[in-house]
């Protein structure tokens, strides 16, 4: 699914380890759903969340954002419109390049399990038909430049983040995302606490083609407006979707 990023201003982060609201009607008006979390996530609960959202809103883009290759399977790849892989700049090596290598290694070693294609293997190389299958998967993969700024969060713990970036360092990561790595998304994540506009303002100066997402503590129309006016392309809202759907509705731009 091609995304018109100019039309995206509100993203919902659905944590598959948390109960979904019985009525998913609160998602009416959001522009994209990311399914992923930092704790208690499995392939099974990821698939359940993806399918429930997709069944309720067939035209709404639903992406999987896994923190481990164990969260990804043939079923999740087929059910999601894309698989978004964070590269955490201020995390450890495993959470910048390690997870990407792990994912492609697993695909290369067992395409029949991950992709539903019985392909003969020669050592750990894939026969020509298998390469086509892997290329098809790669078309669904999206890289995210990622900065985790709340050190007390589970996201920081699982990503090996020990130091928050200064606004200047956030700006440098944004510039690297667009000019060097070529990732289509740069994500500033405050994980449940509101970080204000400083990081967004500095990052936005260096991004022309890359989509700038901000997540963390968005629980009102005022905060949504403040972050968007600071230069973010979209806010990412997660906790209040699960905890308070009525408050969640207020975060959707009108």
């Amino acid at each position: 699914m091609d995304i018109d990023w100019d039309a995206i201003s509100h993203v919902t982060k659905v944590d598959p380890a948390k109960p979904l609201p019985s009525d998913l009607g609160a998602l009416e008006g959001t522009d994209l759903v990311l399914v992923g979390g930092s704790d208690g996530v499995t392939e099974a609960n990821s698939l359940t969340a993806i399918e429930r959202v997709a069944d309720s809103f067939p035209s709404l883009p639903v992406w999987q954002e896994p923190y481990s290759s164990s969260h990804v399977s043939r079923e999740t790849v087929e059910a999601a419109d894309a698989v978004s892989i964070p590269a955490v700049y201020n995390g450890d090596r495993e959470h910048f390049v390690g997870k990407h290598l792990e994912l492609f290694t697993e695909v290369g070693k067992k395409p029949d399990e991950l992709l539903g294609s019985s392909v003969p293997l020669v050592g750990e190389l894939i026969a020509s038909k298998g390469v086509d299958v892997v290329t098809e998967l790669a078309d669904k993969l999206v890289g995210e430049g990622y900065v985790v700024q709340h050190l007390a969060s589970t996201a920081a713990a699982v990503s090996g983040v020990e130091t928050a970036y200064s606004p200047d360092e956030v700006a440098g990561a944004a510039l690297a995302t667009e000019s060097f790595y070529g990732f289509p998304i740069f994500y500033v994540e405050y994980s449940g606490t509101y970080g204000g506009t400083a990081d967004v303002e500095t990052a936005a100066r260096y991004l022309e083609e890359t989509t700038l997402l901000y997540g963390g503590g968005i629980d009102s129309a005022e905060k949504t407006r403040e972050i968007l006016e600071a230069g973010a392309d979209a806010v990412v809202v997660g906790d209040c979707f699960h905890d308070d759907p009525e408050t969640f509705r207020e975060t959707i731009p009108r």
Side-chain angles (χ1 to χ4, degrees):
M1 174 182 287
D2 292 329
I3 295 292
D4 178 9
W5 287 107
D6 290 338
I8 304 292
S9 62
H10 189 278
V11 177
T12 302
K13 185 73 169 283
V14 171
D15 188 335
K18 295 181 179 181
L20 291 176
S22 56
D23 178 11
L24 294 181
L27 290 173
E28 187 73 46
T30 196
D31 302 309
L32 184 146
V33 170
L34 287 176
V35 175
S38 304
D39 189 32
V41 178
T42 66
E43 180 275 338
N45 60 28
S46 295
L47 180 61
T48 297
I50 293 167
E51 290 181 336
R52 276 202 60 194
V53 174
D55 288 346
S56 298
F57 292 90
S59 63
L60 181 64
V62 182
W63 289 21
Q64 184 181 14
E65 187 185 65
Y67 270 77
S68 167
S69 63
S70 66
H71 304 165
V72 182
S73 67
R74 172 180 58 84
E75 287 81 8
T76 66
V77 171
E78 289 181 349
D81 294 303
V83 180
S84 184
I85 312 296
V88 183
Y89 285 97
N90 55 336
D92 57 25
R93 178 187 182 279
E94 173 62 22
H95 289 88
F96 189 77
V97 297
K99 68 176 63 177
H100 309 142
L101 295 174
E102 181 183 64
L103 176 61
F104 278 104
T105 298
E106 289 302 306
V107 169
K109 289 170 66 176
K110 48 184 181 181
D112 55 331
E113 178 179 331
L114 287 180
L115 302 172
S117 174
S118 297
V119 179
L121 302 181
V122 180
E124 292 194 0
L125 297 176
I126 307 171
S128 59
K129 183 179 178 182
V131 173
D132 293 338
V133 176
V134 174
T135 300
E136 184 178 333
L137 169 65
D139 287 341
K140 276 198 167 186
L141 292 181
V142 178
E144 289 181 316
Y146 216 95
V147 174
V148 177
Q149 294 289 73
H150 184 198
L151 298 184
S153 66
T154 303
V158 301
S159 301
V161 174
E162 297 180 350
T163 304
Y165 274 180
S166 68
D168 285 344
E169 288 172 317
V170 171
L175 181 59
T177 296
E178 177 160 306
S179 301
F180 186 74
Y181 293 105
F183 297 146
I185 298 169
F186 181 66
Y187 191 154
V188 177
E189 171 65 272
Y190 271 85
S191 301
T193 187
Y194 186 62
T197 62
D199 289 344
V200 171
E201 290 169 349
T202 56
R205 281 188 245 139
Y206 293 94
L207 300 177
E208 294 182 5
E209 303 298 328
T210 302
T211 296
L212 175 56
L213 304 182
Y214 168 89
I218 300 293
D219 57 10
S220 67
E222 181 182 1
K223 287 179 180 175
T224 293
R225 183 168 54 253
E226 186 173 72
I227 292 296
L228 295 179
E229 289 178 353
D233 294 294
V235 295
V236 182
V237 185
D239 287 346
C240 66
F241 168 71
H242 291 278
D243 301 335
D244 186 351
E246 288 306 314
T247 297
F248 170 82
R249 286 186 171 94
E250 294 176 8
T251 69
I252 299 174
R254 304 300 178 186

